Amino acid sequence: MGFSVITEKVGDDGGGGELVIMEGDQGGFQQLQDCTVFTRKEILRLYHRYHALAPQIVPHHFNDSADIKLPLDLISEMPELKENPFHQKILQVFSVDEQEHMTFNDFLNMFSILSDLTPHHLKAFYAFKIYDFNSDNFICQSDLEVMLSKLTGDELSHEEVQLVCNKVMEEGDLDDDGKLSLADFEYMITRAPDFMSTFHIRI
């Protein structure tokens, strides 16, 4: 059976133009809609952004092949990420190998989780992974110190850093084990209503 071609306009995202979807890709495309918070048009817009990062690698027509991967260094140059102090850890958390590359599915999942429309429990789960800098499945003193360093640019003194870390632990460490579990973290951010509104990237 042959492939028919469907073209769709991509909105004003700085790139313009048309993206081509091969009819044979419709099943994979529908699955992406089902697994994210995005509409068809928003997925196409993000595919256009992904394609524009490396047009020599990413086909102009929609393709959800896992074989297509872009290096994280390339994606980190996107304006939405470049100014974020946590961009390196964000990319590692959402990348296919947690280190070097990102497929379009990873790319789409990252923007979906960081969307305003994503349920709070999912945002909390991924925020926890991002702030767990040493990847031990807890947020401990060293993670909080790294977090503060990235947020303040080392403007706080050592004593001020310790004071903030102690305050966070005092409020969030429910079982007094000196570290925050995912449950501790979720409880803590329910008491910070501004957290979810800031943990997002607009497309």
Side-chain angles (χ1 to χ4, degrees):
M1 184 179 75
F3 286 91
S4 61
V5 177
I6 304 168
T7 63
E8 296 209 16
K9 284 284 187 182
V10 178
D12 296 331
D13 61 353
E18 289 182 334
L19 281 180
V20 180
I21 307 173
M22 306 306 290
E23 188 171 297
D25 291 328
Q26 295 300 301
F29 189 89
Q30 183 61 50
Q31 186 176 18
L32 293 179
Q33 284 184 271
D34 294 341
C35 295
T36 68
V37 299
F38 296 130
T39 65
R40 177 188 184 90
K41 186 174 182 180
E42 288 167 335
I43 293 173
L44 286 172
R45 186 184 307 155
L46 281 166
Y47 187 80
H48 181 81
R49 299 291 302 282
Y50 188 74
H51 164 77
L53 290 169
Q56 72 281 11
I57 298 174
V58 182
H60 191 63
H61 66 81
F62 175 81
N63 190 322
D64 62 355
S65 170
D67 294 334
I68 301 170
K69 297 185 285 189
L70 296 184
L72 299 188
D73 287 348
L74 197 59
I75 296 172
S76 70
E77 293 299 311
M78 295 180 69
E80 295 92 336
L81 292 167
K82 193 172 185 178
E83 301 304 319
N84 189 308
F86 303 107
H87 73 272
Q88 289 181 323
K89 189 65 192 294
I90 290 172
L91 291 171
Q92 288 173 6
V93 164
F94 287 101
S95 68
V96 65
D97 52 16
E98 297 186 350
Q99 202 62 258
E100 301 294 339
H101 298 91
M102 184 171 278
T103 66
F104 177 64
N105 286 7
D106 298 327
F107 184 81
L108 189 63
N109 186 44
M110 175 179 69
F111 277 95
S112 181
I113 293 297
L114 295 173
S115 164
D116 290 337
L117 300 176
T118 297
H120 284 194
H121 71 279
L122 276 179
K123 278 185 175 288
F125 175 78
Y126 280 95
F128 182 82
K129 289 172 68 71
I130 289 165
Y131 298 145
D132 177 18
F133 289 97
N134 61 10
S135 301
D136 66 351
N137 296 317
F138 291 96
I139 294 178
C140 56
Q141 182 86 5
S142 65
D143 295 318
L144 293 175
E145 290 173 359
V146 173
M147 187 189 309
L148 286 171
S149 174
K150 290 182 176 296
L151 285 171
T152 66
D154 296 320
E155 291 180 359
L156 298 180
S157 67
H158 176 72
E159 291 74 19
E160 289 171 324
V161 168
Q162 297 307 307
L163 185 64
V164 173
C165 291
N166 291 340
K167 184 66 174 175
V168 170
M169 286 298 179
E170 180 183 322
E171 293 186 2
D173 183 12
L174 301 180
D175 53 7
D176 295 320
D177 63 353
K179 54 192 177 184
L180 302 179
S181 65
L182 176 58
D184 293 334
F185 181 75
E186 288 179 324
Y187 170 78
M188 189 176 68
I189 63 176
T190 61
R191 303 173 65 188
D194 291 341
F195 174 80
M196 289 305 178
S197 65
T198 58
F199 192 73
H200 75 277
I201 297 178
R202 296 188 185 279
I203 62 169

